C-alpha cells in the first residue's frame, strides 16, 4: 500500500498490525470539489507465507469501527482465511475518527433517548416516539454538515479507493459480517466488475435495510422462540426447565403465557437468542420466574451475589438502566428514530440487488441466527448470479465452514449449493468453543 511507509505500530494493542492513512474524495457527488477525507486503515499481514493479496474486512453495525475491531478479531479471522492474505480494515465514514457520527457531546454520551421498548406498556410507544423526535432533532442539528456524507454508497466508493491504492489486481476481496453484508451487497452491486471474492456472513436482508424502517428480525426471533422449547427439552441434564412439562407444546404455551405477563422478559429473550451460549442461563431465569423466584435474574444478569430483586417492576427498572448490556433490548427504537431521521445520504444505491458479478459471491447463514437469519442469506443470494449459500448449522466453529472459506479465498471455488456445515461441537457440549 502506498502509504504504509509511515505505518505506525498500534503499541500495546497488537504487535502485528500496522496502520496507514488514505485520502479519498469527501463528497463523491461534488465533482468540482477537491476536498478529501482521510481514512484510517489497519493491516494485519499474512501469517502463512507471502501474501497472496488483501482481503478487506468490515465488522458490521453499521457503525462498528474497523481499527479496534480488527485488533480484536483479526487473530481469529486470519487463520480462517488460510493466513495467506493481508487483512485490511478501515474506520468507515461515521465511525472511529472518520467523520465520527456522534449526536451528543462526550459528556452527554450516557444520555439514552428513545431506547425504551415500544411494546413494554400501553404508554410506551408515545414516550419512545417523543424521545425519538428529540434524538432525530439533536442528530440533525449537530451532524448537519456531515450527515449526508455518511452511507453505504460512499463507503462502497471508499472501498474501491482502497482497492486501487493497494495496487494489486484492482479487484475486491472482502469478508463482511452482519451489517457488513449490506455494505458488501452494495459494493458488489455498484461495482460488479471489481468483484474477485466476497463473503457475506450473517446476512442482512438489504432489500429491507434499504426500503423499510428497521430490522425485521424480531418477527423471525419470535419464530425462533417457538423452536426453543424443543431444543431445550433435548438436554434435561443441563436444562432442567425442559423437564418441567411433559411436552414441548406445554412448555411452549407456559412460556407464551409468561411473556404475556412479562414483556421485559420477551425482549431479554430476544437478545439472548442472539447469544446461544446464554440459553442455559436464560432457561434458569425462566425456570425461576415460573416459580415466582427472581433470584436467578439477579444472579445471571447482574452477577452472582447481586441483591435478589423483590418484584417485577424492580426488574423492569433494572433492565431499563442496564439496557446497554443488552444490545437487542434497544432494538425497538431504531424503527422510530429511522422514521424521523433528518438526513438523506448524498448518494444511495437505488438498484434491486439483481447483479451479475465478475466472480460469484459466497453467502453464509446460521440456521439459528435470529438477527441475521439464514432466510436473508437465501434471499440475497437469489439476486447475485452464481452465488451460493453455505448453511452453518449450529454454534461455534465448524471445520467444514472454515474449509469452505479457505478454499473460496484460495481458488474462488464455491461449496456446492445448499451445503450444510455442522459445528465441531453440539449445543450444551461440556466445553463449548464459543
Ligand atoms: C482545490 O481546488 C481549488 C479550486 O479549484 C484550487 O485553488 C486548489 O489549489 C485545489 N487544492 C488542491 C489541494 O488541489
Ligand atoms: C451464566 O450466569 C453465570 C452467573 O450465574 C455467569 O457467571 C455466566 O457468565 C453466565 N453465562 C453466560 C454465557 O452468560
Ligand atoms: C427478498 O426480500 C424482499 C424483502 O422482504 C422481498 O421483497 C423479495 O421478494 C425477497 N426475494 C426473494 C427472492 O425471496
Ligand atoms: C477440527 O480441526 C482441528 C484442527 O485441524 C482438529 O484438531 C479437530 O479435531 C477438528 N474437529 C472436528 C470435529 O473435526
Amino acid at each position: 500500500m502506498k502509504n504504509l511507509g509511515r505505518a505506525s505500530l498500534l503499541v500495546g494493542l497488537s504487535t502485528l498490525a500496522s496502520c496507514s492513512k488514505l485520502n479519498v474524495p469527501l463528497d463523491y457527488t461534488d465533482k468540482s470539489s477537491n476536498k478529501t477525507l482521510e481514512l484510517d486503515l489497519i493491516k494485519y499481514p499474512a501469517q502463512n507465507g507471502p501474501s497472496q493479496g488483501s482481503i478487506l474486512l468490515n465488522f458490521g453495525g453499521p457503525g462498528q469501527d474497523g481499527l479496534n475491531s480488527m485488533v480484536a478479531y483479526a487473530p481469529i479471522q486470519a487463520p480462517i482465511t488460510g493466513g495467506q492474505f493481508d487483512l485490511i480494515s478501515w474506520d468507515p465514514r461515521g465511525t472511529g475518527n472518520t467523520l465520527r457520527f456522534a449526536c451528543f457531546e462526550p459528556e452527554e454520551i450516557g444520555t439514552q433517548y428513545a431506547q425504551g421498548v415500544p411494546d413494554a406498556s400501553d404508554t410506551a410507544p408515545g414516550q419512545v416516539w417523543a424521545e425519538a423526535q428529540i434524538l432525530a432533532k439533536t442528530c440533525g442539528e449537530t451532524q448537519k454538515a456531515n450527515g449526508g456524507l455518511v452511507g453505504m454508497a460512499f463507503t462502497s466508493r471508499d472501498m474501491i479507493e482502497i482497492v486501487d491504492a493497494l495496487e494489486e489486481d484492482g479487484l475486491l476481496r472482502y469478508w463482511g459480517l452482519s451489517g457488513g453484508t449490506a455494505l458488501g451487497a452494495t459494493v458488489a452491486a455498484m461495482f460488479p466488475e471489481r468483484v474477485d471474492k466476497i463473503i457475506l456472513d450473517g446476512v442482512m436482508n438489504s432489500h429491507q435495510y434499504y426500503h423499510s424502517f428497521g430490522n425485521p428480525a424480531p418477527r423471525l426471533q419470535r419464530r425462533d422462540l417457538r423452536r426453543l422449547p424443543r431444543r431445550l427439552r433435548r438436554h434435561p441434564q443441563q436444562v432442567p426447565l425442559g423437564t418441567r412439562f411433559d411436552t414441548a407444546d406445554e412448555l411452549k404455551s407456559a412460556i407464551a403465557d409468561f411473556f404475556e405477563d412479562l414483556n421485559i422478559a420477551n425482549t431479554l429473550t430476544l437478545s439472548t437468542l442472539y447469544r446461544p451460549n446464554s440459553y442455559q442461563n436464560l432457561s434458569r431465569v425462566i425456570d425461576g420466574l415460573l416459580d415466582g423466584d427472581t433470584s436467578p435474574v439477579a444472579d445471571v444478569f447482574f452477577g452472582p451475589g447481586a441483591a435478589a430483586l423483590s418484584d417485577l417492576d424492580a426488574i423492569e427498572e433494572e433492565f431499563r438502566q442496564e439496557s446497554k448490556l443488552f444490545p437487542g433490548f434497544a432494538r425497538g427504537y431504531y424503527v422510530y428514530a429511522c422514521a424521523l431521521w433528518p438526513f438523506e445520504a448524498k448518494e444511495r444505491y437505488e438498484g434491486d440487488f439483481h447483479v451479475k458479478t465478475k466472480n460469484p459471491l459466497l453467502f453464509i447463514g446460521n440456521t439459528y441466527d435470529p438477527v441475521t437469519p439464514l432466510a436473508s442469506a437465501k434471499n440475497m443470494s437469489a439476486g447475485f448470479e452464481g452465488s451460493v449459500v453455505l448453511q452453518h448449522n449450529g454454534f461455534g466453529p465448524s471445520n467444514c465452514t472454515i474449509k469452505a472459506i479457505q478454499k473460496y479465498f484460495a481458488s474462488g471455488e464455491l461449496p456446492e449449493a445448499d451445503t450444510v456445515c455442522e459445528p465441531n461441537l453440539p449445543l450444551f457440549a461440556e466445553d463449548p468453543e464459543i
Side-chain angles (χ1 to χ4, degrees), residues 278 280-282 284-285 294-304 306 326:
S278 302
Q280 204 167 345
N281 277 347
L282 174 67
R284 278 176 54 207
V285 169
T294 55
S295 58
V297 180
D299 222 37
V300 166
F301 293 102
F302 305 111
F326 306 109

Side-chain angles (χ1 to χ4, degrees), residues 26-44:
L26 175 67
D27 180 352
Y28 289 96
T29 60
D30 185 355
K31 301 284 180 226
S32 64
S33 162
N34 53 12
K35 280 197 192 142
T36 58
L37 172 67
E38 194 172 65
L39 289 183
D40 286 312
L41 296 113
I42 185 166
K43 174 166 103 169
Y44 185 91

Side-chain angles (χ1 to χ4, degrees), residues 70-83:
M70 182 80 147
V71 169
Y73 296 119
I76 301 165
Q77 287 186 257
I80 299 177
T81 64

